[in-house]
Amino acid sequence: MHRDSSSAPTSQEPTAENVLFDVRDKLSRIKDLNELIFMAGEGMLGISRDAANAICAGSDVIKDALEEVCEMIDGRAA
């Protein structure tokens, strides 16, 4: 937040702890959306096995990356 010298601050600067909490919350939302993508991929098995496998494999890679990021955040927050 940028402050003009003529205006009073309207809110506190975010702390590192608050920022990490917000980031963790957003990552949790992304993980939930990724689970929906995985389920959509499974639902496509009867339509296109190749497409379904690609979607599920991509979703697994995203899941692993998100878990690594969450572990990094949890380590910093400790």
Side-chain angles (χ1 to χ4, degrees):
M1 173 166 88
H2 299 286
R3 288 188 225 155
D4 185 2
S5 59
S6 64
S7 64
T10 57
S11 66
Q12 258 186 318
E13 292 291 326
T15 64
E17 184 177 305
N18 289 343
V19 170
L20 285 176
F21 179 81
D22 289 343
V23 168
R24 190 72 162 91
D25 183 56
K26 289 185 187 329
L27 285 171
S28 179
R29 290 174 49 203
I30 294 168
K31 286 171 82 173
D32 291 343
L33 290 172
N34 189 50
E35 182 64 26
L36 290 174
I37 292 168
F38 182 85
M39 291 184 334
E42 286 183 324
M44 289 185 61
L45 280 171
I47 300 168
S48 172
R49 184 169 286 289
D50 290 340
N53 287 337
I55 291 169
C56 290
S59 180
D60 282 340
V61 170
I62 292 169
K63 178 180 165 260
D64 292 343
L66 287 169
E67 286 175 355
E68 287 179 27
V69 171
C70 287
E71 288 173 5
M72 291 168 61
I73 290 171
D74 291 345
R76 291 194 82 174

